[in-house]
Amino acid sequence: MYNILQFSPIFRGIKALEIKEALDKVQHYTKNFAKGESIAFRDETYETLMIVIEGCAKGEMQDFNGKVIKIEDLEAPAPLAPAFLFGSSNKLPVDISAETDCKILYIPKKSFISLLQSNAAILQNYMDRICDKANFLSNKIWFLSFKTIKEKLSHYILSLDKNKENRIVLNKSQTELAVFFGVARPSLARVLSELETEGIIETNGKIIKILDRQALIDMIGE
């Protein structure tokens, strides 16, 4: 477990033995979850820091119509909602479930405070993680503000082509993208086909070649 935790953003730069020594001084425990099993629910009070140490979990939101939107995949050794452990309303913002069979490390808030007080590196890593997640959530809110699938897809393609090489490899299947966008898979496939017919992109499996970058930019109003 400790060899995995040294790659977690919470314990970045700290050796496995030092992590073990730190955790041995505070309360903590682990729990296993089967694929598809619920780990935690939206609006639950978050009193114990959770870190994925095996497998992958996912965070999702469901609207009043029952439509599920995937917010994030959380692969080991990612912490779950670390920014919501503290605050006057420390409730989970998403439902969390097991994407695969997984194991979660639990560190109660009081124990985690002791870790923060006793180790400056853990404190710095935790603060950095909160800032990183705030930026992620801001970008996610902006992304969800796009009204059409074309807008969402255009933004997604451009975000993957940060070096402006006009060629990307999708990191999700069409089914995963549809869940991520909160749309039906056939609708997403239709928009991909339309962009290709319009000469804006060229697809080959998960590889997308950008033929008209400006057209993509115009779709999202940049």
Side-chain angles (χ1 to χ4, degrees), residues 138-200:
S138 294
N139 290 330
K140 188 70 178 181
I141 290 170
W142 182 49
F143 172 78
L144 292 175
S145 71
F146 297 132
K147 295 180 175 62
T148 69
I149 301 175
K150 275 191 176 181
E151 289 174 338
K152 293 180 179 181
L153 185 57
S154 297
H155 176 269
Y156 187 76
I157 291 172
L158 290 171
S159 69
L160 291 181
D161 189 33
K162 292 182 175 65
N163 296 326
K164 298 184 178 180
E165 296 174 349
N166 291 326
R167 181 185 180 277
I168 65 166
V169 179
L170 293 175
N171 52 13
K172 300 179 186 292
S173 67
Q174 281 197 22
T175 299
E176 291 171 330
L177 272 180
V179 173
F180 183 69
F181 291 169
V183 301
R185 184 183 179 281
S187 299
L188 175 62
R190 184 175 63 252
V191 170
L192 275 168
S193 179
E194 288 175 359
L195 291 179
E196 190 163 18
T197 300
E198 293 167 8
I200 297 173

Side-chain angles (χ1 to χ4, degrees), residues 3 30 56 63-64 66 69 71 88 100-101 106 108 129 144 149 154 168 170 174 179 186-187 190 195 202 205 209:
N3 288 332
T30 62
C56 180
D63 65 17
F64 291 108
I69 300 175
I71 302 300
S88 58
T100 66
D101 291 348
Y106 292 82
R129 186 62 175 178
L144 292 175
I149 301 175
S154 297
I168 65 166
L170 293 175
Q174 281 197 22
V179 173
S187 299
R190 184 175 63 252
L195 291 179
E202 181 181 289
K209 183 178 181 181

Side-chain angles (χ1 to χ4, degrees), residues 14-44:
I14 305 174
K15 294 181 179 179
L17 180 58
E18 187 179 349
I19 295 171
K20 181 180 184 304
E21 291 175 347
L23 287 178
D24 282 346
K25 297 175 182 177
V26 300
Q27 181 186 359
H28 66 281
Y29 58 95
T30 62
K31 186 175 179 180
N32 294 313
F33 293 88
K35 180 180 178 180
E37 190 175 355
S38 294
I39 297 172
F41 298 96
R42 183 180 180 183
D43 289 333
E44 280 186 356

